[in-house]
């Protein structure tokens, strides 16, 4: 009776191939491939060792990919007006209207909810002068932005100092690495701009404030 000839797998097959093909297969398919690969080895010790390594690789990579599903951006736009009557070289503040977060629906859309939010931080904050048409930010000396919400103390989230004379009608502020999930989880929040000017402006400046917040949450049901 003829016995089936055992063919030893070539060096470099198996795990390396699986890693290279990760984006093309599901986790279940990889588990199946792992058992096929391990089953080609005659040594029980080697089979067990490879299976453990393979399982650890799958678990680690799957966790990373799952974790990415719980990270997303939330964008909010508002506006403020800096009036022409402001005093030069004296600090003053302007407050934006309340911004509706619609956080419940936004979190649900991203397969999470309020109690699963782990961290929210400001990712980007941009100011754009909409009127006057030829307006620019050269009148600013410095600017700090605070986030406000009912029942919470104001927290500084962005700033710019020593505004250059070459700036045009758009500026990007430096953001602060601070967790502000409690503010975004509210129904509304507002932004307060505390600023100092070093030039007189003869017209009211209407400014759009564009923000992007980075959300890290736990996925619903996991």
């Amino acid at each position: 009776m003829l016995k089936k000839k055992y063919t030893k797998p070539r060096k470099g097959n198996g795990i390396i191939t699986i890693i290279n093909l990760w984006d093309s297969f599901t986790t279940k398919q990889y588990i199946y491939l792992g058992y096929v690969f391990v089953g080609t080895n005659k040594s029980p010790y080697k089979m067990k060792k490879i299976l453990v390594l393979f399982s650890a690789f799958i678990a680690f990579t799957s966790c990373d990919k799952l974790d990415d599903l719980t990270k997303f951006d939330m964008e909010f736009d508002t506006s403020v007006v800096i009036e022409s009557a402001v005093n030069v070289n004296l600090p003053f503040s302007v407050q934006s209207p309340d911004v509706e977060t619609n956080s419940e629906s936004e979190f649900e859309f991203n397969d999470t909810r309020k109690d699963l939010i782990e961290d929210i931080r400001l990712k980007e904050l941009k100011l754009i002068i909409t009127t006057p048409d030829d307006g620019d930010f050269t009148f600013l000396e410095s600017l700090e932005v605070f986030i406000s919400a009912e029942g919470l103390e104001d927290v500084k989230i962005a700033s710019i100092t020593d505004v250059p004379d070459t700036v045009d009608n758009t500026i990007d502020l430096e953001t602060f690495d601070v967790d502000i999930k409690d503010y975004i989880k509210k129904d509304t929040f507002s932004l307060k701009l505390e600023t100092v000017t070093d030039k007189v402006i003869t017209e009211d400046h209407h400014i759009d404030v564009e923000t992007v917040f980075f959300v890290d949450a736990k996925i619903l049901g996991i």
Side-chain angles (χ1 to χ4, degrees):
M1 180 177 177
L2 293 175
K3 291 185 179 180
K4 185 176 180 180
K5 184 178 180 181
Y6 168 72
T7 303
K8 185 177 181 181
R10 291 178 297 172
K11 186 176 181 181
N13 287 349
I15 296 294
I16 294 175
T17 302
I18 290 170
I19 293 174
N20 291 335
L21 293 174
W22 170 250
D23 290 330
S24 303
F25 289 87
T26 66
T27 301
K28 287 183 179 179
Q29 286 173 317
Y30 276 126
I31 292 172
Y32 172 76
L33 287 174
Y35 276 107
V36 170
F37 170 66
V38 171
T40 61
N41 195 312
K42 277 188 175 182
S43 168
Y45 171 76
K46 289 183 179 179
M47 287 170 61
K48 187 178 294 185
K49 184 177 180 181
I50 294 172
L51 183 56
V52 169
L53 290 173
F54 179 80
S55 300
F57 163 74
I58 289 296
F60 176 78
T61 314
S62 297
C63 286
D64 279 351
K65 287 186 173 289
L66 257 183
D67 190 47
D68 288 341
L69 295 177
T70 67
K71 297 176 181 179
F72 55 94
D73 290 338
M74 295 178 69
E75 300 180 5
F76 300 102
D77 295 340
T78 186
S79 62
V80 295
V81 179
I82 296 180
E83 298 179 351
S84 58
V86 297
N87 295 317
V88 177
N89 294 324
L90 291 177
F92 67 94
S93 63
V94 292
Q95 192 93 16
S96 77
D98 285 344
V99 179
E100 294 187 3
T101 62
N102 298 312
S103 58
E104 290 282 9
S105 58
E106 189 73 21
F107 296 153
E108 183 179 356
F109 178 77
N110 287 280
D111 296 318
T112 190
R113 59 175 185 252
K114 280 186 178 182
D115 60 303
L116 298 177
I117 300 301
E118 297 184 310
D119 191 272
I120 300 179
R121 297 175 188 267
L122 180 63
K123 183 178 178 180
E124 299 174 17
L125 193 151
K126 178 180 293 186
L127 303 180
I128 304 169
I129 296 175
T130 56
T131 57
D133 293 337
D134 60 347
D136 58 50
F137 283 105
T138 56
F139 68 92
L140 284 182
E141 180 180 324
S142 62
L143 177 67
E144 295 179 332
V145 180
F146 295 77
I147 188 169
S148 306
E150 184 179 0
L152 300 172
E153 295 184 359
D154 294 354
V155 171
K156 184 162 64 173
I157 57 174
S159 70
I160 184 170
T161 57
D162 299 325
V163 179
D165 291 333
T166 56
V167 70
D168 55 17
N169 69 331
T170 302
I171 54 173
D172 293 295
L173 275 64
E174 178 185 358
T175 60
F176 287 74
D177 189 25
V178 55
D179 181 13
I180 49 176
K181 62 176 178 292
D182 292 337
Y183 298 79
I184 307 303
K185 287 162 66 174
K186 294 279 190 178
D187 293 333
T188 63
F189 71 88
S190 63
L191 297 176
K192 181 173 69 175
L193 278 63
E194 293 192 353
T195 184
V196 176
T197 63
D198 57 8
K199 291 181 181 179
V200 174
I201 55 175
T202 57
E203 296 180 70
D204 292 352
H205 280 53
H206 295 255
I207 301 171
D208 282 348
V209 184
E210 299 180 354
T211 61
V212 180
F213 295 90
F214 176 74
V215 183
D216 188 0
K218 295 178 182 178
I219 196 165
L220 195 62
I222 300 298

